[in-house]
Amino acid sequence: MKGIECIELRKFITEYKQKNEKNEFKPVAVGKYGIRTRESIYSKELAKDYSKNKIIFKNTLTVGMGSRQIDIGILTDDVIYSVSPAYHTYKISGINADYLRYCLMCRNEDMFKRFVKRGSRQGKSIDLKRWLEYEIPVYDVCNQEKIVLKLNKVTNVISMRKQQLQKLDELIQARFVEMFGDPIINPFNWEKKRFDSICENLDSRRKPISSGDRVEGIYPYYGASGIVDYVEDYIFDEDILLVSEDGANLLMRSTPIAFSVSGKVWVNNHAHVVKFDEMSLQKYVEIYFSLIDISENITGSAQPKLNQAKLNAMMIPIPEKALLEQYCEFLKQIYKSKLVIKNLLQIYKHQIQM
């Protein structure tokens, strides 16, 4: 395409600060996946007064600081929401808003490396002055629309593939209940055993590293809900199960609270680390945790916590070994299917690069 020009972001966005003073517009969250309703993330309402929030509306850009990316949300629907006052809000003009969204989305990693500085949330903040000088490729209006139409089609395919992954996760849980019964009712009367009798706790080997002291590397650095960062060294090199120790997700369950990890990794003190003799038992327990309510084992209100004593004392119904191995084989086939879909997702996401 012809007629491309590299232009600074400041030419297309102007910051504004309009408050939700009458508390009339419902709040949304802005993160890795753009703008999302809070009920799609959290299982309960966190507050009732959002009068200090900022208002966002059609053709506005919202920017915040994520753990590993710049949180960007562009609203193109003719609706009005409110966002946390911690976000920066901008009006968009002189450029197709969807085109701008794709531009920023595919350059997020580059912008994160260039403009993130040590500061506020999770030890990082955005150098907004320099970020506004960031140059993006800009085509004429007609070509912007053509690019958006093409990328919308790719985005729709990506959405369908993600739905396939979700259905496979649902199949994993459905097969669990079919083979072992409802984990709460335990209709097959499987023998119950204390959690600490079926695995070895490795919490003593965990080592937290503050964000300012981490040295970037190739090894995943895990926290309560998954990978937080990548560091230059590792402390585990084996098959382990991580169980969230603290954080709101223990109650809200927006991400798994138990997840298997293999290979060279570093784990901080926000996730319990346990090791099983048999992978089949580890996978069973991982899925078991996704199907039960552990709220009665959680302590703390401001900061929910599943301490080691509470975790160790949990009684887990344990099916016979042959069934566990059969289920583990089923999981292997499902994981193969998920890997194929994830590889396709990477191909599609690569097509979005501009």
Side-chain angles (χ1 to χ4, degrees), residues 306-317:
L306 174 63
N307 62 46
Q308 189 179 130
K310 289 284 188 179
L311 175 63
N312 287 340
M314 290 181 66
M315 300 300 293
I316 316 291

Side-chain angles (χ1 to χ4, degrees), residues 9-10 16 41-42 97 103 145 161 164 170 206 220 224 254-255 264 274 282 297 308:
L9 271 174
R10 68 170 70 250
Y16 71 97
I41 305 172
Y42 306 117
C103 261
E145 292 177 352
R161 294 293 177 263
Q164 289 177 330
E170 292 171 357
R206 303 176 302 178
S254 56
T255 59
K264 298 178 173 67
V274 293
Q282 175 176 319
N297 299 291
Q308 189 179 130

Side-chain angles (χ1 to χ4, degrees), residues 15-187:
E15 187 166 15
Y16 71 97
K17 300 176 183 179
Q18 187 173 345
K19 294 287 185 68
N20 184 30
E21 293 178 349
K22 296 182 180 179
N23 200 33
E24 57 186 316
F25 302 112
K26 74 174 186 177
V28 291
V30 179
K32 181 179 180 180
Y33 303 104
I35 296 173
R36 299 170 65 191
T37 58
R38 294 179 71 86
E39 55 263 29
S40 70
I41 305 172
Y42 306 117
S43 59
K44 62 179 181 179
E45 189 177 18
L46 299 182
K48 294 186 181 297
D49 182 7
Y50 297 100
S51 59
K52 294 182 180 180
N53 277 16
K54 295 177 181 176
I55 291 175
I56 60 172
F57 40 85
K58 186 176 182 179
N59 291 336
T60 57
L61 164 67
T62 305
V63 179
M65 185 69 252
S67 59
R68 295 183 58 211
Q69 76 284 325
I70 296 175
D71 291 336
I72 293 173
I74 291 183
L75 187 57
T76 54
D77 296 330
D78 194 11
V79 292
I80 302 176
Y81 296 120
S82 68
V83 296
S84 164
Y87 290 112
H88 294 269
T89 49
Y90 301 85
K91 293 179 182 178
I92 301 169
S93 62
I95 192 171
N96 183 300
D98 282 316
Y99 177 84
L100 179 62
R101 175 167 56 86
Y102 282 120
C103 261
L104 298 180
M105 181 174 68
C106 69
R107 288 168 174 76
N108 202 318
E109 183 177 350
D110 179 53
M111 294 189 299
F112 185 80
K113 290 179 179 178
R114 287 174 182 239
F115 307 121
V116 167
K117 59 183 181 179
R118 300 298 172 185
S120 56
R121 187 182 175 194
Q122 298 180 6
K124 304 181 182 76
S125 63
I126 310 167
D127 187 338
L128 291 170
K129 182 178 180 180
R130 292 177 54 233
W131 177 70
L132 288 169
E133 296 171 353
Y134 188 67
E135 294 186 343
I136 59 172
V138 180
Y139 296 88
D140 60 68
V141 174
C142 182
N143 280 323
Q144 286 180 36
E145 292 177 352
K146 289 180 180 179
I147 291 171
V148 168
L149 285 174
K150 176 183 176 181
L151 295 183
N152 280 345
K153 291 179 181 178
V154 176
T155 301
N156 288 336
V157 174
I158 290 174
S159 178
M160 288 188 288
R161 294 293 177 263
K162 287 182 177 179
Q163 289 176 21
Q164 289 177 330
L165 288 174
Q166 183 177 346
K167 289 186 180 299
L168 287 174
D169 286 335
E170 292 171 357
L171 179 60
I172 287 173
Q173 294 184 332
R175 182 62 172 156
F176 182 103
V177 174
E178 178 185 348
M179 291 183 65
F180 309 120
D182 184 289
I184 305 300
I185 302 173
N186 189 22

